[in-house]
Amino acid sequence: MSALERIAVIGGGPAGAFAAAELARAGREVLLFDEKLAWEKPCGGGLTDKALARWPFLRDAQVERNWVSDCELIAPSGRQVWFRLERRIAIFSRLTLNGVLLERARSAGAKLYRERVLQIDGNGGKWMIRTPGRSYAADFVVVAAGARNSLRNRFAAPLGPENFMVAAGYYIPGHHQTVQIKFLNGLHGYIWIFPRADHFSAGICGRMKGKSTAELRRLLEDSLPEFGLGLDRASFYAHIIPSLTPDALRNSSFAGDGWAMIGDAAGFVDAITGEGLYYALRSAELLTEALLANAPERYPALAKSDFLPELERAARIADRFYGGEWMAGSVVERMIQLTRRSARFREIMRDLFAGAQEYSNLRQRVFDSLPRIVMEAVVSTLWNRRAEPSTAQEAHVGSVSPYLRS
């Protein structure tokens, strides 16, 4: 068998399933291992316009998802802003999304094994994948089993707790069209309400070295009534997500002789937003490109020239975003205040939610727009002091979500 013909993918989440489909479609023999296959992973499940434009099959898939067109942000002070998204977000349950991607891999010819991988032996192009039932040989190993999976440590040094966030939440029956995000004082993270097709994913995330899962759960439960939600028929979830420090992103190894990591296993998650789906799919796409060229050694360079600088920027500014000050107030409070008062700033926020605005030029864009942003904010403030906002103004500015109005 020629080099890199038989490829083992460990993990059937979005990254692993996407890589398996692309490699199998190109004629490689792909063995995909996951003890659960499609399952309901704890997360929001949102795909931005940026992701849907790059992979149209996700936009066109004939499956349940919720197309979300509105967003509400809530500051620690209680200040709120509601605004319409110009480019909608598609929110999938992870059971549905993983099912779409796994079926795509199966249809392309990948062999799916619902087995737990216990051990990976060998090196270079001679690997042996051991499960409870048997062993499988492979020329190359793709690790896509999450950042806390012990198999990851077979290839790279373990990540310390400073590189993780804790996520906890509930699946709650219900439905509407607004993504809601609430920030809390002292929390490096946020509460989210993501409306899926027939339920909400209501969750909270915070640094592992900050608050415990129990503390996060209590904060979330205390906030649910604010969103008109309760725990009747709700089911609890908790999970660990990577949030790598700048040093870890620069120095952690995610590829080597005969192996590579993608998605969460490599720590490819935005340290500010916790967004990982786009980076899971994009890292899988770049690795596939390198493997099909029989040049897997190119993969790290491809990632570093594509999305890694953006993740490093997010990691560098995450502490400032959650705990810093800007214009004589906290960053989050000022962000929500300006979103509420300035049409130009709302444009920037819409682009951030769509994935069209990158951190690399965000500061410059805000700086270039600052005179207009300040002017709009001052005019809006003076106007609102003179008179109560009309219904039309309220819908435009979005001071209160229509889902919270009595």
Side-chain angles (χ1 to χ4, degrees):
M1 184 178 289
S2 59
L4 306 183
E5 281 297 315
R6 185 181 242 207
I7 299 170
V9 179
I10 316 300
F18 186 94
E22 297 302 302
L23 291 166
R25 182 173 289 109
R28 302 300 169 93
E29 183 181 1
V30 179
L31 315 180
L32 185 149
F33 300 90
D34 193 301
E35 61 181 311
K36 296 179 180 178
L37 292 179
W39 60 292
E40 189 53 87
K41 180 180 176 180
C43 80
L47 284 175
T48 63
D49 183 77
K50 178 181 179 180
L52 296 170
R54 179 173 284 279
W55 302 292
F57 75 90
L58 292 170
R59 185 192 299 275
D60 300 335
Q62 299 301 302
V63 296
E64 273 194 340
R65 92 287 303 275
N66 191 20
W67 289 100
V68 169
S69 54
D70 303 314
C71 179
E72 181 183 46
L73 305 177
I74 306 170
S77 66
R79 177 183 284 120
Q80 300 166 314
V81 59
W82 172 85
F83 58 96
R84 191 166 297 280
L85 301 170
E86 292 181 350
R87 286 167 281 191
R88 294 183 301 172
I89 298 171
I91 302 185
F92 294 79
S93 77
R94 283 298 296 272
L95 177 65
T96 298
L97 180 61
N98 275 24
V100 168
L101 292 165
L102 286 167
E103 183 53 39
R104 186 168 175 265
R106 191 194 315 273
S107 298
K111 300 173 184 176
L112 275 54
Y113 296 93
R114 190 168 187 169
E115 299 181 40
R116 182 184 180 188
V117 174
L118 301 175
Q119 194 170 335
I120 303 172
D121 296 324
N123 55 66
K126 298 179 180 178
W127 301 103
M128 192 63 66
I129 314 300
R130 305 194 186 279
T131 73
R134 55 172 292 190
S135 297
Y136 304 82
D139 303 313
F140 194 91
V141 171
V142 179
V143 181
R148 294 282 280 183
N149 190 289
S150 60
L151 295 173
R152 181 194 182 281
N153 301 336
R154 164 68 174 77
F155 301 98
L159 295 169
E162 69 278 7
N163 292 294
F164 293 96
M165 296 184 81
V166 176
Y170 291 93
Y171 301 123
I172 303 174
H175 179 81
H176 62 54
Q177 302 301 124
T178 300
V179 164
Q180 296 165 289
I181 296 173
K182 178 182 178 180
F183 300 95
L184 302 175
N185 280 321
L187 178 67
H188 185 109
Y190 56 91
I191 289 172
W192 69 83
I193 309 294
F194 269 39
R196 296 176 172 183
D198 62 355
H199 68 276
F200 298 102
S201 172
I204 185 171
C205 61
R207 276 192 168 164
M208 181 180 283
K209 293 187 75 173
K211 297 185 182 298
S212 69
T213 302
E215 290 174 306
L216 291 172
R217 184 175 184 175
R218 187 162 53 251
L219 286 170
L220 175 62
E221 290 176 354
D222 289 345
S223 295
L224 286 178
E226 179 180 340
F227 300 99
L229 299 176
L231 296 180
D232 183 41
R233 294 185 295 144
S235 57
F236 180 72
Y237 63 76
H239 191 57
I240 303 297
I241 56 176
S243 180
L244 270 58
T245 65
D247 284 346
L249 276 167
R250 282 192 299 268
N251 301 320
S252 294
S253 178
F254 58 89
D257 185 14
W259 64 272
M261 297 180 192
I262 53 179
D264 281 11
F268 295 152
V269 174
D270 186 313
I272 295 175
T273 66
E275 159 63 19
L277 284 173
Y278 175 83
Y279 301 105
L281 298 173
R282 184 60 178 148
S283 60
E285 189 172 55
L286 293 175
L287 175 60
T288 297
E289 179 183 325
L291 287 171
L292 294 181
N294 284 324
E297 69 278 1
R298 295 180 191 169
Y299 168 55
L302 290 173
K304 288 173 184 176
S305 66
D306 190 281
F307 61 81
L308 265 179
E310 187 74 353
L311 294 183
E312 288 181 14
R313 289 186 190 97
R316 285 199 302 271
I317 65 177
D319 284 339
R320 251 181 300 160
F321 177 82
Y322 284 109
E325 291 195 352
W326 180 46
M327 298 175 66
S330 78
V331 170
V332 168
E333 290 284 351
R334 287 290 175 258
M335 176 186 74
I336 291 174
Q337 183 181 36
L338 292 176
T339 303
R340 180 173 175 169
R341 299 298 186 194
S342 165
R344 176 59 63 90
F345 198 81
R346 280 196 297 278
E347 289 176 11
I348 295 173
M349 293 300 294
R350 288 188 181 108
D351 287 346
L352 279 167
F353 273 85
Q357 175 62 58
E358 296 191 341
Y359 299 124
S360 58
N361 62 346
L362 175 60
R363 183 176 180 180
Q364 189 62 47
R365 183 179 175 186
V366 172
F367 180 80
D368 291 343
S369 302
L370 200 55
R372 179 170 170 180
I373 290 170
V374 171
M375 180 191 70
E376 290 174 341
V378 169
V379 170
S380 176
T381 300
L382 292 174
W383 175 261
N384 280 280
R385 284 177 180 172
R386 290 177 58 189
E388 288 294 320
S390 68
T391 302
Q393 273 184 305
E394 187 174 276
H396 177 65
V397 174
S399 58
V400 183
S401 163
Y403 301 101
L404 295 181
R405 298 190 185 109
S406 57

